[in-house]
């Protein structure tokens, strides 16, 4: 096995601002109702991802990025509950929905729609409160997910090939051997050596990096428009992480799919994404072009975050400037701007009273902070 | 085991060692692989394999490598939290005398346990949830009878204040604290006995980014104030650069390269170091776009079945025939720089600047 | 795998030898021996047995030989001739006695097992999936109640209810008119009408336990990440449930399934005694009461052997079911 | 695999494994680390670098973090309402057991053949002519000419006043103090008073059940205590030292588990000499029950030791210079004692049931000793049950006791690890 010193010359991918959205979140709210109170994990998130875009959602643990990602496909387990907002996706073809409905024709009673009745954007359908068949037609087919822990996210008692062919056959009926061939192809595509053999392996027979490749192969099996990768490299070593990021980048360029990359590692985000959304305590506090934001962050949290990580080549003489204090307890969510108690630019009477406004500039750079109110 | 003799034969250059606080010589830790009903030993996982390491007084040595490379095991062997299989751990006492800690019994070791302390990775499992901070931080004081029982609490309160926690937290249990605060408690416990060397095993890896910097800064301040020496074990090259004066790179139980931090990052001499540096994700968008990345193929070698010759050769782009047959010894290639590669002088490896990660 | 099985069989033989020693030791345990029992019986009938006669009897039964000799005689007869010795109380070979009753025990156990599985698995799965629903509370309550009632008490209560409200004796296997009748449809129906009660009674506590176990095991699995992965693929909830968490949750079940094997033969001792069913259970019990130690010893030996074999089968079944276990066996 | 076998031992209940047991997130600040859901820990507020803390957090933190392990366990246990109620039931049952002599209207042995199989008398509060006050009716007894059995009619005209703390059958309190006071009883000790009926010798069922609780309830405790000592000693050696002793003990446990329980119990109890007195028999039965019971406990203790040995906080204690005994008793034992207590609670009802079954079969304790199993022996044949269904009442006592203990055990197990 040889390493190939590759030069990654994807000179800043141009993003088409008018490309059709593959996912649009409006006011998404997810709560966890616990015995001691309610934790609002996602607190009114608006986000749009367009075709071909790679969006990194960054934030520290507890900022709600993972819950947000899971809320999109309604994968939040009890006691989590989506209590508001809507998830808009391009309306799946009726044949796809019928297939997802399966043999049992009976319609399940529709769940109550917590979302306010907003008019659906052109050609989109809201997933919250939708017919389960529609949700299933979107899951895996239009939007696929890759999770953090490939070991626990794969079923340990099923062969990896079977887990992939299941996903293939679910959305595109085909004979088992054809599906198997496709699974082998996919495994080859994600860089697994000897895929004819590995297709019959169980997850525990593979290394961490290979398992994550299997997860990616499974996610790609139906050519999704959007891949949601939830901390896909966090459990991996730095060299394996580089392999996986490389793979994701090449797959994205080859297939033109959009990626939502959930990560706490700003370095990982910078390596793959075009745009970034910074989350803090369930809110998106800043959103825009990644290079732009990392070069000149506007929100005090983003600035503090970028200041607090050591950069390679900086040496040991420049002192890091950490964010003050701790992330607040979930029950003790600060009023007004959730970041105000750790913020260096805190303005009493302003930041702690009302939620900060969303400021948007001409380049589409959005920030939720009173500091920029004058700019408007 | 030809490779053992190879390594032993190699000439270990020792320059001025008067400021060396702790040194390991040919330190090894093998874990037996047992089989069957009565636990027969059928093989060995060579977690640490004949490692020479020097830690100078007042400095921070960064120990880096991927998971499973043996860096944590090495740290724990130095602390004698794990029994080394063979080798020496030479420790220079305050009176200048050098003792080998490896063969000492638990009783003989006790005074040295006060000098060499540890900070753990997991701030949750390293503090006994059933004890208050006063008990946790006071435990080493009580066990070693450093201060009178009546003074223990005052000492603990002072220690807590020293690491930035309120002394009133004395009566609280660890579950009232966040990861960052628990790590401060861990530091207070380590500092309780006025140690000379602190082994920090991934001490901040489990923390959130914003809190991580707080702890790193605190560790630096403590080092300056208390004349501490750190062995800073981490997989994060960015943090190691921020903390360490000297870096030791490990790969499947072997030290493959050592040197002063800045120099090693600018001019790596081992292909593995080069690859590691190139893989570091950097949040600078300019760097990310123009970088030249080396993506290593394959997986880390299995420490129970290390490849012949150079353990890294199976993943190395520059591997030649010699690499499969002969174990490269860790040799001094320039003052202060040691590397275990046959061809390091010829390769012209790229550092962080050429790789575009800085 | 084959190597593993062979090694396990070797180990099994060693265990069985050890068990046979313990068994024989237990056989020898009661103070006095069978002869003294005989003498006591004879004396209660007013007969007198002289010491000479007693000695003769002891020689006849080999009771004066050293322990190891007696053990060897006993075990070699079992291994080489299938002869478990003579039941003193029944004065018939132990093997015939047991063999006579095995069929019914077997039938009863298998029917009960099927009943338990048919009820407990669906209820347990429902209970886990609809956790904290009224149905779950009912199932949980039933589970606790079922586990708190000793089987024999349940049998007694049913007997009483039967007599009191249905004017029917629930005991026995056949109505009096069929006891000695030849087998015909009527007799089969009569048997069926008597068997449902024992099956229900034995089944209730088993069902209660299994519901709790199924529920707990499934709850362990239900919120694991791999379930979310499967859901994210677009699988329907029902297929998802059966294919992933339910399958996983059965692993612990497989690790105990082999223990059913001795249960097939032990014939639900206590229930059978209360309901006077001619299974092996009352036979064992009678043996214990009359200190018919060869009979008892044979039971312990047979049941232990079945337990050991069952454990092996269980482990093999688990390996078949769970590839992780299979892999571990192959490695060790 | 070890986890799976462990489950086998501890029985199973869903509640312990409820992934979203909401109490995971407490104000005490136990962590919540569910996949995909990250919620940070509470900040204890204002260390040097933190800013203003909102009201709610401050309120929570005022007493936050100062609760010891046992207080946390207790707090969690109390949330399990059924278990909490069951705990009071169990305590009440043991109190009743302790004061059985006083509480019983009669004694276990006092008999009156005239009232053989007398049915339960209802306790009345208000009498039309005598006014308010407890009383029961007498019986009119006739002998059935065919069966010679007594037949009882309630004589509604009769009036037997019932009082509290009346003197009646003499007894020795705890076998020490001669007394004759009974909590409740007929004011005239010679009048019949059978609240739960009488048995074939005309003994008071209620009194016998109360006396029987002594054996039935204590046998569980004693048996579990023996299992505990054996299990902790051997499991501890096995888990802490590992190596050869561990292998040996593991093989012994596996061997013992290969012997089927019931026949072994039967055989061993059959081997108890008939001549032994009740006390010797009692201990013999307890010992027999524990011989099988300790293996589960040993496995569990071993598992805890093994997993604790690799915990960081144990390593930290070693590095602090703690001696081995100090590590075991100050760090390890407190860490698993709550689990051990929970499994002990789960084991007691099992022992009670086992004793009951053996005694019921006539292999355990034997009359004249009284235990619930012995009492149920009287109800073994269908004709007796038909005549005197109240003889099944000891079964009710067993049922309530075992049910309550199971609930308590279940709740304790859920609460055992407040740091989960």
């Amino acid at each position: 096995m040889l390493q190939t010193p590759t030069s990654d010359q994807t000179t800043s991918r141009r993003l088409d601002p008018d490309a059709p959205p593959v996912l649009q979140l409006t006011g998404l709210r997810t709560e966890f109702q616990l015995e001691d109170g309610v934790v609002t994990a996602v607190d009114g998130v608006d986000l749009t991802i367009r075709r071909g875009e790679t969006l990194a959602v960054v934030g520290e643990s507890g900022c709600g990025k993972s819950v947000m990602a899971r809320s999109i496909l309604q994968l939040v387990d009890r006691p989590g509950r989506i209590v508001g907002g809507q998830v808009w996706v391009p309306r799946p073809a009726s044949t796809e929905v019928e297939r997802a409905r399966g043999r049992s024709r009976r319609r399940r009673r529709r769940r109550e729609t917590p979302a306010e009745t907003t008019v659906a954007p052109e050609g989109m359908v809201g997933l919250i409160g939708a017919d389960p068949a529609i949700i299933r037609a979107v899951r895996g087919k239009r939007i696929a997910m890759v999770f953090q822990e490939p070991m626990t996210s794969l079923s340990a008692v099923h062969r990896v090939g079977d887990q992939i062919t299941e996903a293939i056959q679910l959305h595109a009926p085909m004979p088992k051997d054809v599906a198997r061939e496709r699974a082998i192809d996919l495994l080859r595509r994600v860089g697994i050596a000897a895929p004819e053999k590995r297709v019959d392996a169980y997850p525990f027979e593979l290394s961490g990096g290979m398992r994550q490749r299997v997860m990616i192969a499974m996610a790609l099996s139906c050519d999704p428009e959007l891949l949601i990768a939830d901390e896909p490299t966090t459990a991996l070593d730095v060299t394996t992480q580089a392999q996986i990021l490389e793979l994701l980048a090449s797959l994205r360029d080859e297939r033109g799919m959009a990626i939502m990359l959930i990560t706490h590692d700003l370095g990982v985000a910078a390596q793959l994404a075009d745009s970034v959304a910074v989350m803090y305590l369930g809110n998106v506090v800043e959103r825009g072009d990644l290079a732009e934001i990392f070069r000149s962050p506007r929100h005090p949290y983003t600035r503090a975050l970028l200041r607090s990580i050591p950069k390679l080549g900086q040496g040991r003489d420049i002192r890091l400037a950490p964010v003050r204090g701790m992330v607040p307890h979930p029950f003790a969510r600060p009023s007004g701007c959730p970041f105000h108690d750790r913020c260096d630019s805190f303005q009493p009477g302003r930041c702690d009273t009302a939620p900060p406004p969303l400021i948007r500039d001409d380049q589409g750079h959005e920030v939720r902070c009173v500091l920029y109110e004058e700019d408007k | 085991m030809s490779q053992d003799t190879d390594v032993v034969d190699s000439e270990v250059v020792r320059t001025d060692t008067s400021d060396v606080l702790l040194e390991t010589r040919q330190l090894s830790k093998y874990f037996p692989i047992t089989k069957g009903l009565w636990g027969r030993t059928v093989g060995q996982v060579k977690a640490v394999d004949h490692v020479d390491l020097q830690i100078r007084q007042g400095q921070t040595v960064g120990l880096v490598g991927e998971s499973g490379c043996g860096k944590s095991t090495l740290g724990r062997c130095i602390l004698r939290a794990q029994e080394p299989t063979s080798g020496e751990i030479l420790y220079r006492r305050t009176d200048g005398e050098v003792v080998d800690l490896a063969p000492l019994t638990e009783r003989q070791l006790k005074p040295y346990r006060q000098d060499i302390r540890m900070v753990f990775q997991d701030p949750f499992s390293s503090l006994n949830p059933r004890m208050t901070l006063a008990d946790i931080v006071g435990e080493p004081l009580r066990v070693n009878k450093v201060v009178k029982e009546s003074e223990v609490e005052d000492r603990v309160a002072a220690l807590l204040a020293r690491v930035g926690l309120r002394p009133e937290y004395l009566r609280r249990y660890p579950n009232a604290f966040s990861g960052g605060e628990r790590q401060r408690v861990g530091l207070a416990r380590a500092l309780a006995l006025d140690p000379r060397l602190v082994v920090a095993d991934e001490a901040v890896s489990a923390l959130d980014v914003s809190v991580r910097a707080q702890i790193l800064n605190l560790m630096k301040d403590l080092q300056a104030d208390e004349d501490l020496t750190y062995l800073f074990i981490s997989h994060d090259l960015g943090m190691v650069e921020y903390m360490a004066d000297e870096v030791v790179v490990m790969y499947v139980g072997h030290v493959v390269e050592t040197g002063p931090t800045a120099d090693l990052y600018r001019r790596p001499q081992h292909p593995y170091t080069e690859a590691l540096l190139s893989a570091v994700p950097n949040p600078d968008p300019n760097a990310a776009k123009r970088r030249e990345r080396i993506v290593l193929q394959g997986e880390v070698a299995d420490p129970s079945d290390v490849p012949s010759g150079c353990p890294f050769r199976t993943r190395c782009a520059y591997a030649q025939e010699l690499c499969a047959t002969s174990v490269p010894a860790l040799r001094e290639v320039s003052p202060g720089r040691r590397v275990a590669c046959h061809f390091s002088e010829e390769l012209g490896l790229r550092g962080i600047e050429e790789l575009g990660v800085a | 795998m084959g190597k593993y099985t062979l090694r396990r069989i070797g180990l099994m033989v060693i265990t069985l030898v050890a068990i046979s020693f313990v068994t024989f030791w237990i056989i020898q345990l009661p103070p006095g021996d069978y002869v003294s029992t005989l003498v006591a019986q004879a004396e209660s009938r007013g007969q007198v047995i002289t010491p000479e006669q007693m000695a003769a009897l002891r020689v006849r039964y080999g009771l004066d030989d050293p322990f190891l000799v007696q053990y060897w005689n006993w075990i070699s007869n079992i291994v080489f001739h299938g002869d478990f010795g003579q039941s003193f109380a029944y004065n018939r070979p132990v093997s015939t006695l047991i063999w006579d009753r095995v069929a019914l025990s077997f039938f009863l156990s298998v029917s009960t097992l099927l009943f338990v599985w048919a009820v407990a698995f669906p209820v347990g799965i429902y209970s886990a999936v609809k956790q904290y629903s009224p149905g779950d509370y009912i199932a949980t309550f039933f589970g606790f109640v079922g586990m708190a009632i000793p089987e024999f008490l349940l049998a007694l209560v049913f007997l009483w209810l039967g007599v009191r409200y249905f004017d029917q004796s629930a005991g026995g296997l056949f109505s009096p008119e069929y006891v000695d009748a030849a087998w015909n449809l009527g007799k089969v129906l009569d048997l069926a009408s008597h068997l449902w009660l024992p099956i229900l009674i034995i089944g209730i506590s088993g069902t209660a336990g299994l519901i709790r176990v199924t529920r707990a095991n499934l709850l362990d699995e239900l919120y694991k990440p791999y379930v979310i992965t499967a859901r994210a693929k677009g699988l329907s909830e029902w297929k998802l449930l059966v294919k992933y968490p339910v399958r996983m949750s059965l692993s612990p079940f497989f690790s105990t399934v082999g223990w059913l094997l001795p249960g097939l033969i032990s014939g639900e001792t206590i229930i059978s005694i209360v309901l006077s069913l001619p299974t092996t259970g009352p036979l064992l019990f009678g043996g214990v009461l009359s200190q018919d130690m060869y009979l008892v010893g044979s039971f312990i030996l047979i049941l232990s052997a079945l337990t050991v074999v069952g454990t092996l089968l269980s482990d093999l079944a688990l390996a078949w079911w769970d590839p992780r276990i299979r892999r571990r066996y192959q490695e060790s | 695999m070890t986890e799976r076998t462990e489950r086998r031992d501890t029985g199973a209940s869903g509640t312990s494994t409820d992934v979203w047991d909401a109490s995971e997130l407490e104000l005490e600040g136990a962590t919540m680390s569910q996949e995909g859901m990250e919620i940070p820990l509470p900040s204890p507020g204002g260390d040097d670098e933190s800013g203003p803390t909102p009201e709610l957090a401050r309120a929570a933190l005022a007493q936050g973090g100062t609760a010891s392990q046992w207080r946390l366990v207790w707090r969690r246990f109390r949330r399990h309402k059924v278990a909490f109620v069951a705990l009071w039931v169990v305590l009440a049952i043991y109190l009743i057991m302790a004061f059985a002599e006083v509480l019983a209207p009669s004694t276990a042995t006092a008999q009156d053949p005239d009232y053989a199989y007398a049915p339960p008398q209802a306790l009345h509060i208000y009498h039309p002519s005598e006014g308010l006050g407890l009383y029961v009716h007498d019986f009119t007894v006739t002998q059935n000419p065919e069966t010679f059995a007594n037949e009882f009619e309630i004589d509604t005209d009769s009036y037997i006043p019932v009082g509290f703390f009346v003197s009646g059958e003499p007894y020795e309190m705890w076998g020490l103090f001669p007394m004759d006071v009974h909590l409740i009883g007929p004011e005239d000790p010679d009048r019949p008073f059978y609240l739960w009926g009488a048995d074939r010798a005309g003994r008071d069922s209620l009194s016998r059940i109360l006396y029987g609780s002594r054996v039935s309830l204590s046998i569980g405790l004693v048996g579990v205590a023996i299992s505990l000592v054996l299990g902790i000693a051997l499991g501890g050696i096995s888990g802490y030292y590992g190596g050869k002793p561990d292998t040996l003990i593991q093989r012994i446990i596996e061997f013992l588990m290969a012997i089927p329980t019931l026949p072994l119990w039967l055989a061993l109890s059959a081997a108890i000499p008939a001549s032994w007195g009740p006390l010797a028999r009692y201990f013999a039965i307890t010992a027999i029950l524990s011989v099988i019971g300790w293996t589960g406990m040993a496995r569990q203790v071993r598992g805890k030791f093994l997993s604790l040995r690799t915990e960081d906080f144990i390593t930290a204690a070693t590095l602090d210079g703690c001696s081995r005994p100090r590590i075991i008793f100050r760090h390890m034992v407190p860490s698993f004692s709550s689990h051990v207590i929970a499994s002990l609670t789960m084991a007691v009802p099992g022992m009670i049931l086992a004793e009951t079954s053996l005694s019921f079969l006539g292999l355990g304790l034997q009359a004249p000793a009284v235990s619930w199993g012995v009492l149920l022996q009287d109800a073994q044949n269908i004709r007796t049950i038909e005549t005197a269904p109240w003889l099944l009442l000891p079964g009710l006592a067993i049922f309530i006791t075992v049910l309550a203990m199971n609930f308590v055990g279940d709740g304790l197990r859920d609460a055992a690890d407040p740091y989960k």
Side-chain angles (χ1 to χ4, degrees), chain A residues 160-226:
Chain A
V160 296
D162 294 343
Q163 296 187 51
I164 299 173
T165 45
E166 180 188 38
I168 296 173
Q169 288 181 305
L170 206 55
H171 298 287
M174 63 177 76
K176 202 158 176 71
D177 49 335
V178 181
R180 186 184 153 90
E181 281 310 309
R182 272 191 68 173
I184 294 174
D185 260 3
L186 282 162
L187 289 177
R188 185 175 297 121
R189 183 63 202 89
V190 296
I192 287 185
E196 310 78 19
K197 267 170 36 198
R198 304 277 195 216
V199 75
D200 289 325
Y202 289 98
F204 55 82
E205 294 168 332
L206 305 175
S207 68
M210 288 224 269
R211 277 183 222 130
Q212 198 56 291
R213 287 169 194 270
V214 169
M215 279 297 285
I216 293 172
M218 197 157 82
L220 294 178
S221 61
C222 296
D223 252 321
E225 294 171 326
L226 171 64

Side-chain angles (χ1 to χ4, degrees), chain A residues 112-362:
Chain A
E112 291 161 57
T113 314
E116 52 269 43
T117 44
T118 30
V119 185
E122 181 70 27
M124 308 276 268
V125 61
L127 285 186
I128 311 292
D131 178 352
I134 293 182
I135 299 170
R136 287 205 297 273
V138 171
R139 286 177 180 168
K141 172 70 183 157
R142 297 306 186 91
I143 302 178
M145 284 193 81
V146 173
F147 297 95
Q148 177 180 150
E149 269 289 339
M151 181 73 226
T152 50
S153 297
L154 287 167
S155 162
V157 299
H158 294 92
R159 296 173 196 278
V160 296
D162 294 343
Q163 296 187 51
I164 299 173
T165 45
E166 180 188 38
I168 296 173
Q169 288 181 305
L170 206 55
H171 298 287
M174 63 177 76
K176 202 158 176 71
D177 49 335
V178 181
R180 186 184 153 90
E181 281 310 309
R182 272 191 68 173
I184 294 174
D185 260 3
L186 282 162
L187 289 177
R188 185 175 297 121
R189 183 63 202 89
V190 296
I192 287 185
E196 310 78 19
K197 267 170 36 198
R198 304 277 195 216
V199 75
D200 289 325
Y202 289 98
F204 55 82
E205 294 168 332
L206 305 175
S207 68
M210 288 224 269
R211 277 183 222 130
Q212 198 56 291
R213 287 169 194 270
V214 169
M215 279 297 285
I216 293 172
M218 197 157 82
L220 294 178
S221 61
C222 296
D223 252 321
E225 294 171 326
L226 171 64
L227 177 72
I228 301 178
D230 186 358
E231 302 271 10
T233 60
T234 305
L236 305 175
D237 265 320
V238 59
T239 56
T240 319
Q241 167 173 289
Q243 293 172 2
I244 296 292
L245 290 176
E246 188 93 336
L247 172 67
L248 283 173
S250 76
L251 289 169
R252 170 194 62 192
D253 297 343
E254 172 189 307
R255 304 186 171 219
M257 66 181 173
I259 296 180
M260 180 192 265
L261 175 73
I262 315 287
T263 181
H264 68 278
D265 189 328
L266 302 181
V268 168
Q271 226 146 88
L272 195 65
D274 320 305
S275 48
V276 66
V278 183
M279 282 186 77
Y280 186 77
L281 283 190
N283 285 119
V284 174
V285 295
E286 190 163 9
R287 153 100 166 102
D289 180 65
L290 182 129
E292 162 77 15
I293 288 185
F294 278 20
R295 211 170 290 128
S296 50
R298 306 184 81 189
H299 196 281
Y301 176 64
T302 319
R303 280 189 293 188
L305 208 56
L306 280 162
R307 271 203 317 267
S308 67
I309 38 175
K311 284 171 205 66
L312 226 48
Q314 211 172 42
R316 50 172 312 188
D317 305 323
I318 302 167
R319 195 175 165 83
L320 294 176
V323 188
R324 284 190 299 133
M326 307 283 165
V327 179
H329 188 271
F331 291 137
R333 207 188 146 79
S335 58
C337 172
F339 188 62
H340 78 251
D341 62 338
R342 302 175 73 190
C343 184
D344 290 325
S345 321
F346 170 57
Q347 302 176 4
R350 219 169 149 209
C351 296
D352 49 357
T353 48
L358 179 74
I359 317 289
R360 191 189 159 96
D361 72 6
D362 310 335

